Amino acid sequence: MTEAVTPEMRLPPKVSGEKPDIGHMEEFNGNFARFLMRCKAECGELAEYNMAGQRTVLMSGPEAQEAFLKGLDKKLSRAAAYQATVPVFGRGVIFDAPPERMKTQLKIQVDALRYQNMRSYAAVIAQEVQDWVSGWGEEGELDFLDEFIGLTLNTACHCLLGADFRYKMTEEFKALYHDLEKGLQAIAFVDPYLQQPLFEARDNARERLQELISEIITERRANAHQEYGDALQTFMLGTYQDGTYLTDNEITGLVIATMFAGHHTSSGTAAWTAVELARNPVFATEILDELSGLFGQGQEITFENLREIPRLEAFIEEVLRLHPPLVLLMRRVMEDIDYKGILIEAGKTVAISTYGSHRDANYFPDPETFDPHRARASTAEMMWAYIPFGGGPHKCAGNAFALMQLKSIFAALLSKYEFELVDAPDTYQDDLSAMVLKPSSPSRLRYRRRG
Ligand code: HEM
């Protein structure tokens, strides 16, 4: 993408079906993943649609997706596209921080998800999974979406804020988190400061959560030498270039931002993995054989032995291809852009669709078929076609954490239990009613202890 913009340049083709005032909002809200596939089928690499006045250019195909993901912040701004998160994360945090401070905050966030903490996270997750299944008995039936939402909230809370907070986690904390989540509905992307009860509850929850987290910070400052091995410790030790520490407000913001980035993305993927395992028993048996070799003699699940489980990894990769939790990534265009002679004007939004990209038959033949054995060329093109974790400078910071958690959960579950669908196979569908894709509710599965 260049900025050599000339007056005779063409504009991106417009998607049909625009309505007065609302543009494509109605069709988008119906099923946005399918709407985005229609945009690409009709217009090709660039397709412009209208969200109640906000003109958005969908960029499709590996080349356009690479340009989007590698775009510099000053040209393609995430901050301007994700302003709805400001009241949730907090003033002065990430997308509301000046560029240099934002950079440092993101670096500290990445540090918290890096190797040095991963070993203790692996132990925490293994423990949480063990506690979770301890009351299951011989057989039963559960809604696995609800179950994974609960489990991954516990693991996120435990890894981010430590054991003390996790085991004291009250209904109050869950209610506050829920109020913050409700504050990120589609309307917040139009105006997050509208006067309405939903946003009032969001603001009260943000304030109260900071009080709770400040209490732990104060306690920990009094015990400065203790090792906690959690993200809060990394956030508390991180400094800006001038040597100052993050404020309680900023630390609270990073906790919330990390929780939001990691929670529903993980629970949705875990739920889809469980459903696909139940729907594809032949592949499940292959993975079980692999796990028996690794954990068959009652070996503990640890960070080390979770590292390489190729069949399970390929299975999760295929789940993320067909059901990528973050379907739509967005940036605001800050300076006019020339993309192959087409002008994308400043002020517009640009977007890419992981869901659409993963269903491109040029790269994924017979794309709707679930096949963990599908060969994937390791070409540069493929790298920008398969993008469940995004790519470039803002590629998912929790990628390694997410995969380690999924492997830990399914290594433990599959060794102990077998699963089967309760409802007809085609009733388990992608639910796109929220920002993060998940299987439709209820996602009921029957489990039975292995003999
Ligand atoms: C299967 C699970 C997950 C998927 C599919 C996923 C996907 C993504 C994607 C696509 C992005 C890029 C967004 C963009 O470019 O606009 C992203 C960013 C991010 N993710 Fe994840 N994510 C997952 C789990 C997690 C977890 C568990 C955490 C933390 C514990 C996490 C933390 C982050 C953070 C902090 C960013 C922002 C990075 C930055 O701004 O530089 N993610 N994720």
Side-chain angles (χ1 to χ4, degrees):
M1 282 192 289
T2 68
E3 288 148 62
V5 175
T6 55
E8 63 279 2
M9 282 175 69
R10 286 177 297 134
L11 294 172
K14 287 191 175 155
V15 177
S16 64
E18 205 169 308
K19 292 194 176 155
D21 301 326
I22 57 167
H24 295 98
M25 193 84 148
E26 222 170 53
E27 189 181 348
F28 182 95
N29 285 342
N31 180 330
F32 67 95
R34 293 282 153 189
F35 167 68
L36 297 172
M37 286 174 77
R38 175 172 94 73
C39 294
K40 181 187 172 196
E42 186 178 304
C43 301
E45 211 178 13
L46 300 185
E48 182 171 308
Y49 60 93
N50 174 0
M51 292 293 284
Q54 182 56 49
R55 301 225 146 251
T56 304
V57 179
L58 176 71
M59 303 178 75
S60 303
E63 203 181 337
Q65 285 157 194
E66 177 180 3
F68 172 102
L69 289 166
K70 283 187 171 167
L72 297 177
D73 281 353
K74 71 179 191 3
K75 290 186 191 160
L76 293 184
S77 165
R78 290 182 316 146
Y82 295 134
Q83 279 299 298
T85 61
V86 171
V88 179
F89 299 172
R91 283 282 178 201
V93 182
I94 307 195
F95 298 128
D96 192 49
E100 272 312 304
R101 283 180 90 81
M102 171 168 124
K103 226 165 124 183
T104 308
Q105 290 173 5
L106 287 173
K107 190 191 155 300
I108 295 170
Q109 192 182 31
V110 169
D111 279 350
L113 296 166
R114 282 242 288 258
Y115 186 77
Q116 67 272 23
N117 286 351
M118 208 61 92
R119 198 176 302 270
S120 63
Y121 295 156
V124 162
I125 291 166
Q127 181 64 50
E128 288 284 356
V129 175
Q130 202 177 316
D131 294 349
W132 174 51
V133 299
S134 64
W136 278 20
E138 290 305 305
E139 58 184 311
E141 195 182 293
L142 288 169
D143 177 342
F144 274 81
L145 180 60
D146 277 359
E147 290 293 316
F148 282 123
I149 290 174
L151 175 71
T152 53
L153 185 61
N154 290 344
T155 56
C157 187
H158 203 152
C159 294
L160 281 165
L161 293 168
D164 269 8
F165 192 88
R166 153 70 179 101
Y167 291 113
K168 282 190 295 195
M169 187 165 65
T170 55
E171 288 307 312
E172 183 190 9
F173 173 82
K174 289 188 187 163
L176 294 174
Y177 181 69
H178 192 57
D179 282 348
L180 283 175
E181 281 187 326
K182 283 200 294 193
L184 260 191
Q185 293 185 2
I187 181 75
F189 287 82
V190 179
D191 181 357
Y193 302 104
L194 288 171
Q195 287 290 325
Q196 57 157 307
L198 210 63
F199 291 165
E200 209 176 299
R202 169 199 69 195
D203 297 341
N204 291 337
R206 173 67 178 71
E207 206 177 310
R208 176 69 185 135
L209 197 58
Q210 184 164 330
E211 281 172 15
L212 291 177
I213 292 176
S214 291
E215 278 172 24
I216 333 178
I217 294 175
T218 310
E219 267 172 42
R220 288 196 180 187
R221 286 204 176 114
N223 280 310
H225 298 296
Q226 193 163 329
E227 265 297 322
Y228 296 93
D230 55 26
L232 182 62
Q233 181 155 43
T234 311
F235 296 160
M236 286 179 64
L237 290 175
T239 55
Y240 291 108
Q241 263 187 344
D242 63 4
T244 54
Y245 290 104
L246 273 62
T247 62
D248 287 10
N249 170 53
E250 290 165 340
I251 292 175
T252 304
L254 284 193
V255 169
I256 298 173
T258 315
M259 203 113 175
F260 270 67
H263 180 215
H264 287 288
T265 45
S266 298
S267 60
T269 308
W272 260 126
T273 305
V275 171
E276 294 293 11
L277 282 166
R279 201 151 58 177
N280 296 282
V282 174
F283 299 136
T285 306
E286 286 174 6
I287 298 172
L288 184 65
D289 290 346
E290 177 178 56
L291 292 174
S292 307
L294 285 168
F295 302 102
Q297 268 71 51
Q299 280 97 329
E300 248 181 81
I301 293 177
T302 62
F303 177 62
E304 279 73 22
N305 61 23
L306 279 174
R307 277 186 164 174
E308 273 194 47
I309 317 182
R311 287 185 196 156
L312 179 56
E313 282 160 21
F315 193 93
I316 295 169
E317 270 181 31
E318 184 67 351
V319 169
L320 285 167
R321 183 185 70 80
L322 272 177
H323 314 289
L326 296 186
V327 168
L328 181 67
L329 310 184
M330 291 184 295
R331 312 279 189 259
R332 184 67 53 82
V333 181
M334 306 309 280
E335 297 168 7
D336 284 355
I337 288 170
D338 170 357
Y339 181 78
K340 296 187 184 169
I342 298 182
L343 170 64
I344 307 177
E345 294 156 298
K348 287 183 178 173
T349 297
V350 281
I352 60 173
S353 163
T354 56
Y355 190 95
S357 183
H358 295 174
R359 281 168 170 74
D360 184 334
N362 291 315
Y363 304 97
F364 308 98
D366 193 8
E368 294 294 343
T369 299
F370 184 89
D371 177 10
H373 294 300
R374 65 173 61 244
R376 192 167 321 128
S378 53
T379 57
E381 242 192 345
M382 193 52 112
M383 193 172 123
W384 302 105
Y386 180 75
I387 46 171
F389 292 105
H394 296 297
K395 183 169 179 181
C396 177
N399 175 347
F401 178 96
L403 292 176
M404 181 272 287
Q405 165 153 279
L406 289 162
K407 287 193 274 180
S408 177
I409 292 173
F410 288 98
L413 284 189
L414 278 176
S415 313
K416 289 192 175 76
Y417 291 98
E418 54 190 359
F419 297 89
E420 98 197 4
L421 303 178
V422 170
D423 301 299
D426 60 358
T427 57
Y428 299 81
Q429 295 283 341
D430 287 320
D431 174 353
L432 290 151
S433 59
M435 295 303 292
V436 182
L437 178 150
K438 55 184 187 289
S440 48
S441 240
S443 283
R444 281 186 299 214
L445 299 180
R446 201 168 296 119
Y447 62 85
R448 191 167 299 113
R449 197 190 292 278
R450 290 189 193 278

